[in-house]
Amino acid sequence: MMTVKSTCCYCGTGCGIEIDVCDGQVCGVRGDPDHPANFGRLCTKGLTLPHTLHTASRLAEPRLRPGRTGLGEAVSWDIALDAVSDRLAAIIAEHGPESVAFYLSGQMLTEDYYVYNKLARGLIGTPHVDTNSRLCMSSAVTGYKLALGADAPPCSYEDFDHADCVLIAGSNMAYAHPVLFRRLEAARTANPNMKLIVVDPRRTDTAASADLHLAIQPGTDVALFNGMLHALIWDDRLDRGFISEHTEGFAELRHAVREYTPKMAADICGISEDALLTAARWFGEAGAALSLWCMGLNQSAHGTDKNLALINLHLATGQIGRPGAGPFSLTGQPNAMGGREVGGLATALSGHRDPANPQHRAEVAALWGVDALPATPGKTAIPMFDAIAAGQIKALWIVCTNPAHSMPDANQVREALAACEFVIVQDAYADTDSIDYADVLLPAAGWAEKDGTVTNSERRISRVRRAVAAPGSARADWDIGIDAARRLAARLGRGGHLFPYAGPDEVFAEHCLTTVGRDLDIGGLSYAVLEAEGPQQWPRPAGASQGAARLYTDHRFATDTGRARFHLTPYHGVAEAVTARYPFHLLTGRLRDQWHGMSRSGRVPALFAHTAEAVLSMHAGDMARRGLSEGELVRMSNQHGDWVLPVQADSGMLSGQLFVPMHWSSGFVASAGSNALTAGKMDKRSFQPELKHAAVRLDKIELAWQCAAVSACGDPVSLLTALRPLLAECRFASATLLDGDTPAVRVRFAHPTLPSAHFLAQLDRALGLEGEAGVQQLFSDPRRGIHKLAVWQGSRLRGVRLAGECCALGWLGERIVSGGDMGELRALVFAPQASPAGLTRRARMVCHCAKVDETAIYQALAKGASADSLRETLGCGSGCGSCMPEVRRMAAAVSKAA
């Protein structure tokens, strides 16, 4: 066995991992105890990474798709890249360089980002390069630049250990950054006097852990922060010396926030005045105050103001540039930071330069050896797809992302992709939503199959190392880009000198060169330094012995004057307000064990054990008033689209609000997911859209025909992929993976009538229930429209399909994944009952590592166990620890009930 040190490919925490390789395959992953980002901790997603290198659903060869049907024809790299370069050259010749656009990803390595940025701006001459980081972090980028002068998070994870007050806003950190939340929990244990404030409309596991939960109304963050600043001014909890010597603009801001009295601000937010005043007092009295935020602030039509209003609190109290203090934006992707460093955003150039600045464009042009860079402003994500729909952009190259699912107003984005003249999709997987629109598919190496670097939330650069070979002829993104660029340069008759690289180390070296003299100067880094000294924070200029743990310790900021800037932040509501027609606030967010569009995490059955399928969460009182019962189907809709899904009561929801996870794509449901309902309305400065909120209506829907199936008759991920075309044929569809000794796929459908005469035959074929899967057992009652099929291997049930009546689906699925002998239960396989008498049913899994379900936890708590004692008795928290916030919430509920 061989072990390779690398970096996790999920959130922006940047966890170090150790990859075990057996016979050329990844056979295990664990946290790297030496990595300063995680010190050996790893979440459920990271621990299951070996299962995501699923070869059956991987793109292994380049493919051409004439007519955009199926996976197309497998071809060689020469044929594929010649086709790409021929077509791009023809489009550029006919329509100009700005008819080509690139849409990149925060999951790319820094070297990948650098190559495609240079390909677009340096070779082709198009400014239209943007990234899905526009959807995640661009409001934080803009806020940092406006207030502090540079896109540079000033804090480090070690600040958790020094903070006296931590304010978390717009982040369910326990789910989205679980390793960091473990670190925060440890810091609270070490410092019992630390105050934790959580700002979130929902009572999430993060909020339930807080000393003070401010359950504000959606979109009212600016009013909250302005009200807190008013209270700080009134109570004279300011650092007047810091304000006078190191900032500008405070007098104007002080005047503006006079109207945001605590009473007025609290009324806007829907919280008590006392709660707001308490938050302000704790923040103002703290020896060191740290704020942490993520998508809840950024994904807003006023996300920049939300960032600035929070930074204003730090500047007013001098809480920046020292241990335990500062405004700390948590990145959602593994290399959103690296992309920002190399100019992956349309609003940035390499080395944190500004494409609107002629001097900056000239500097990069000189470094690259080209005459000039395009002066036209590049189109950011929303305008980019608008331009595609309008026919202005003719060719789109998508790398390592899935805009058909992740962009707001997804139905309109899909129409744009369908109309685009030439679409290249470069991905590791063959079944994302965006692949349906590709003319060319380019197979990319996965997380353990390539070399490069990433930068995490605390500005720490870590190495990603190749541990195994990629399947087929799949290649690293940087390698694909260099090869394509050289071919295109030959056709354009220019730029042949731009891509001389023999490997990613040479790309990184050139990237480092572009940063010299800039705020993120890493002129002192190289692969050799990273190999010898381990992960390093920037800046790390030449001659420095280490990077900077925190920035602005001398209180000199990256602005022209060296002073930080206060900004006026007037309160504006959500982009789409609730109305009589659309009376509900729809909130979107994350699940604990899934990530983004699930193109990677959605291949691991164990990661569905905590939350099996898409469900709409709702206040119990709102359900009762509308006559809704748990699990009933509802239609959620607005002017952008709709989604039919089950509803459930959630004690963490306020009345008038709904919540749905953002992960579910067309590979799992009969819609584009939550982004079928979100609008493309964006912040005027950061150009980030409001993905966290939509105004919707909710209606009960009656769908007479129902069908459901569970199958272990083949590889479950392959079966899930085969199901994909059928999901769109029904008004409701929900597919998921079931974990167990024999993993399986489960799917549910509902429709007004049987979708087509061939639907059941197509479903049986997709699930492997026909042919040699096993012995078939049939039941049919045509008069009642009931048709059932079971597949047996001896006495073991391998699959079942129920049409017309499906109430036995739950227990039959549990028996299939258990892989055991059915015994006397065989006679009940077609019986219309939810569960045979005396059969013990599986409960929802809470602890992934120790396989502890909620029934076992509640039983132990009822007998007097504490949340912490369950570590010794049941193993909860003994592995990754992701379950502990929920376990503590369960313990608190039991204690309260008692």
Side-chain angles (χ1 to χ4, degrees):
M1 184 177 73
M2 176 180 69
T3 298
V4 178
K5 286 181 179 287
S6 190
T7 309
C8 185
C9 58
Y10 279 117
C11 74
T13 302
C15 293
I17 58 175
E18 294 182 335
I19 307 170
D20 290 336
V21 179
C22 307
D23 299 323
Q25 302 293 320
V26 175
C27 54
V29 166
R30 60 187 171 275
D32 180 355
D34 299 322
H35 198 290
N38 59 314
F39 296 110
R41 297 184 182 96
L42 211 56
C43 72
T44 55
K45 298 180 287 292
L47 288 168
T48 56
L49 270 172
H51 304 290
T52 66
L53 295 173
H54 189 273
T55 54
S57 56
R58 292 287 300 276
L59 270 177
E61 307 295 338
R63 291 180 174 271
L64 302 182
R65 299 180 71 236
R68 295 183 178 178
T69 58
L71 282 179
E73 176 191 0
V75 298
S76 69
W77 277 105
D78 283 338
I79 291 174
L81 292 184
D82 281 345
V84 165
S85 48
D86 284 343
R87 192 71 181 276
L88 288 179
I91 289 172
I92 293 166
E94 182 176 356
H95 302 287
E98 292 187 25
S99 63
V100 178
F102 290 78
Y103 191 62
L104 309 178
S105 166
Q107 297 169 65
M108 297 169 69
L109 305 181
T110 298
E111 294 77 2
D112 304 331
Y113 256 127
Y114 190 88
V115 166
Y116 286 88
N117 187 36
K118 194 174 186 181
L119 165 58
R121 288 181 163 119
L123 175 62
I124 294 174
T126 177
H128 305 319
V129 185
D130 211 39
T131 163
N132 62 12
S133 296
R134 178 70 56 190
L135 312 181
C136 303
M137 304 310 304
S138 54
S139 290
V141 171
T142 307
Y144 277 141
K145 290 170 70 175
L146 289 172
L148 308 180
D151 174 21
C155 308
S156 291
Y157 300 153
E158 67 182 47
D159 286 316
F160 292 13
D161 303 326
H162 303 288
D164 299 306
C165 177
V166 176
L167 189 158
I168 301 176
S171 169
N172 185 9
M173 191 176 171
Y175 277 19
H177 295 88
V179 170
L180 291 184
F181 196 69
R182 301 292 85 71
R183 187 162 181 169
L184 180 60
E185 288 178 319
R188 293 180 74 193
T189 299
N191 178 13
N193 294 322
M194 180 194 291
K195 299 297 186 183
L196 178 61
I197 306 166
V198 173
V199 182
D200 198 309
R202 298 190 297 132
R203 190 163 180 80
T204 62
D205 280 354
T206 306
S209 301
D211 298 299
L212 176 63
H213 173 210
L214 301 177
I216 63 172
Q217 288 296 307
T220 60
D221 310 79
V222 167
L224 171 68
F225 300 145
N226 285 351
M228 289 175 64
L229 181 56
H230 180 114
L232 290 168
I233 295 171
W234 182 264
D235 293 335
D236 198 22
R237 292 192 174 97
L238 305 176
D239 188 333
R240 295 189 180 277
F242 179 86
I243 292 171
S244 174
E245 296 173 19
H246 305 295
T247 71
E248 55 193 18
F250 181 71
E252 296 85 347
L253 178 61
R254 178 175 185 148
H255 179 78
V257 300
R258 286 194 306 178
E259 65 178 281
Y260 289 91
T261 65
K263 177 68 167 63
M264 171 190 164
D267 287 346
I268 292 172
C269 295
I271 60 175
S272 72
E273 183 181 3
D274 284 346
L276 185 149
L277 289 171
T278 298
R281 186 177 74 254
W282 287 357
F283 193 94
E285 290 179 346
L290 181 70
S291 63
L292 306 167
W293 74 94
C294 201
M295 305 310 166
L297 295 195
N298 295 335
Q299 289 179 334
S300 165
H302 308 289
T304 298
D305 280 339
K306 291 179 179 182
N307 277 262
L308 290 171
L310 181 54
I311 294 172
N312 283 342
L313 295 179
H314 285 273
L315 298 181
T317 54
Q319 295 283 5
I320 189 170
R322 51 194 175 84
F328 196 176
S329 163
L330 301 178
T331 50
Q333 296 192 82
N335 201 31
M337 285 287 290
R340 287 146 63 176
E341 294 160 12
V342 303
L345 293 166
T347 46
L349 287 177
S350 291
H352 282 180
R353 291 176 175 85
D354 184 351
N357 185 319
Q359 180 181 341
H360 287 184
R361 294 198 305 273
E363 289 173 359
V364 176
L367 286 165
W368 286 350
V370 296
D371 293 336
L373 297 189
T376 307
K379 294 190 182 298
T380 60
I382 301 294
M384 179 185 289
F385 282 89
D386 289 344
I388 293 169
Q392 298 165 2
I393 291 176
K394 306 291 184 179
L396 177 65
W397 195 329
I398 300 169
V399 184
C400 195
T401 188
N402 185 19
H405 168 249
S406 60
M407 287 285 290
D409 206 351
N411 294 325
Q412 183 174 319
V413 168
R414 293 175 182 212
E415 291 175 6
L417 287 169
C420 190
E421 184 176 318
F422 185 52
V423 177
I424 306 159
V425 173
Q426 187 168 309
D427 209 305
Y429 298 101
D431 53 5
T432 71
D433 296 358
S434 299
I435 277 177
D436 293 342
Y437 306 95
D439 297 287
V440 179
L441 297 176
L442 301 179
W447 61 273
E449 301 160 354
K450 54 188 176 181
D451 284 293
T453 59
V454 293
T455 308
N456 72 358
S457 298
E458 62 170 355
R459 297 170 285 103
R460 191 178 298 277
I461 298 171
S462 299
R463 285 278 281 116
V464 172
R465 295 178 177 87
R466 182 176 180 269
V468 295
S473 64
R475 295 162 68 178
D477 292 305
W478 59 264
D479 188 32
I480 298 170
I482 290 170
D483 194 349
R486 290 169 177 167
R487 294 169 192 259
L488 181 59
R491 286 158 176 80
L492 296 178
R494 63 175 187 268
H497 65 289
L498 290 175
F499 300 91
Y501 319 111
D505 56 329
E506 296 182 9
V507 179
F508 184 75
E510 184 173 304
H511 161 53
C512 293
L513 184 63
T514 70
T515 71
V516 172
R518 306 291 301 168
D519 66 287
L520 73 162
D521 191 333
I522 52 172
L525 286 187
S526 64
Y527 274 27
V529 171
L530 292 172
E531 290 291 341
E533 301 180 24
Q536 297 293 310
Q537 289 177 281
W538 61 253
R540 171 74 187 269
S545 60
Q546 62 182 25
R550 58 189 58 83
L551 305 180
Y552 313 126
T553 55
D554 59 356
H555 293 165
R556 180 162 184 83
F557 295 89
T559 60
D560 293 339
T561 63
R563 290 171 173 261
R565 301 184 182 118
F566 286 100
H567 285 266
L568 305 185
T569 54
Y571 163 68
H572 300 281
V574 291
E576 292 190 339
V578 293
T579 63
R581 184 169 187 178
Y582 301 116
F584 282 100
H585 295 280
L586 173 65
L587 310 177
T588 67
R590 295 176 181 267
L591 295 172
R592 190 191 77 183
D593 293 348
Q594 297 292 353
W595 199 71
H596 282 210
M598 298 165 61
S599 57
R600 185 189 298 118
S601 63
R603 301 171 196 282
V604 184
L607 294 182
F608 291 83
H610 187 253
T611 303
E613 64 178 352
V615 178
L616 183 68
S617 297
M618 188 176 186
H619 186 273
D622 289 344
M623 286 180 61
R625 282 186 287 275
R626 283 158 180 77
L628 297 173
S629 301
E630 194 90 3
E632 281 192 298
L633 295 181
V634 293
R635 176 177 178 258
M636 180 170 53
S637 63
N638 61 14
Q639 65 270 37
H640 307 292
D642 69 351
W643 188 3
V644 175
L645 72 171
V647 65
Q648 69 177 10
D650 186 338
S651 60
M653 301 298 299
L654 295 176
S655 179
Q657 298 178 7
L658 309 170
F659 171 77
V660 71
M662 45 74 81
H663 308 287
W664 306 102
S665 70
S666 298
F668 300 91
V669 296
S671 98
S674 63
N675 285 330
L677 299 128
T678 54
K681 296 183 179 179
M682 58 185 182
D683 185 289
K684 293 179 181 178
R685 288 176 287 186
S686 71
F687 310 107
Q688 181 161 359
E690 188 156 290
L691 288 165
K692 295 295 289 187
H693 177 270
V696 300
R697 66 175 293 132
L698 199 67
D699 299 286
K700 187 173 181 177
I701 187 169
E702 300 287 351
L703 299 173
W705 183 81
Q706 296 191 8
C707 178
V710 177
S711 174
C713 297
D715 170 69
V717 178
S718 299
L719 299 179
L720 181 65
T721 301
L723 278 173
R724 187 186 189 93
L726 297 176
L727 302 181
E729 294 191 23
C730 290
R731 202 68 187 86
F732 164 75
S734 177
T736 187
L737 298 177
L738 302 180
D739 190 31
D741 295 333
T742 307
V745 64
R746 186 187 76 193
V747 64
R748 300 197 295 142
F749 299 98
H751 204 63
T753 61
L754 178 68
S756 70
H758 306 293
F759 185 85
L760 292 182
Q762 291 173 323
L763 176 60
D764 293 346
R765 186 160 49 252
L767 291 175
L769 299 177
E770 59 179 26
E772 299 180 2
V775 176
Q776 291 187 336
Q777 180 184 357
L778 300 169
F779 172 84
S780 183
D781 185 345
R783 184 179 62 84
R784 296 169 58 201
I786 297 175
H787 304 276
K788 300 184 179 183
L789 166 68
V791 174
W792 299 87
Q793 284 187 346
S795 60
R796 295 171 58 211
L797 184 63
R798 297 284 291 161
V800 64
R801 187 259 297 146
L802 312 172
E805 187 283 306
C806 311
C807 66
L809 178 72
W811 78 267
L812 290 173
E814 291 172 11
R815 298 301 299 178
I816 289 172
V817 298
S818 72
D821 190 306
M822 283 286 283
E824 297 179 354
L825 294 174
R826 180 167 186 157
L828 303 176
V829 70
F830 292 146
Q833 56 182 335
S835 182
L839 183 66
T840 301
R841 300 292 306 280
R842 294 173 61 174
R844 186 177 63 90
M845 195 69 67
V846 174
C847 177
H848 166 86
C849 300
K851 304 297 182 188
V852 184
D853 63 33
E854 60 184 358
T855 297
I857 293 172
Y858 276 127
Q859 288 174 346
L861 293 172
K863 294 177 181 178
S866 67
D868 291 331
S869 71
L870 295 182
R871 178 186 180 94
E872 301 300 327
T873 57
L874 298 180
C876 297
S878 60
C880 72
S882 296
C883 64
M884 288 311 296
E886 183 172 0
V887 171
R888 291 193 179 95
R889 176 168 52 82
M890 295 166 70
V894 170
S895 178
K896 183 177 180 180

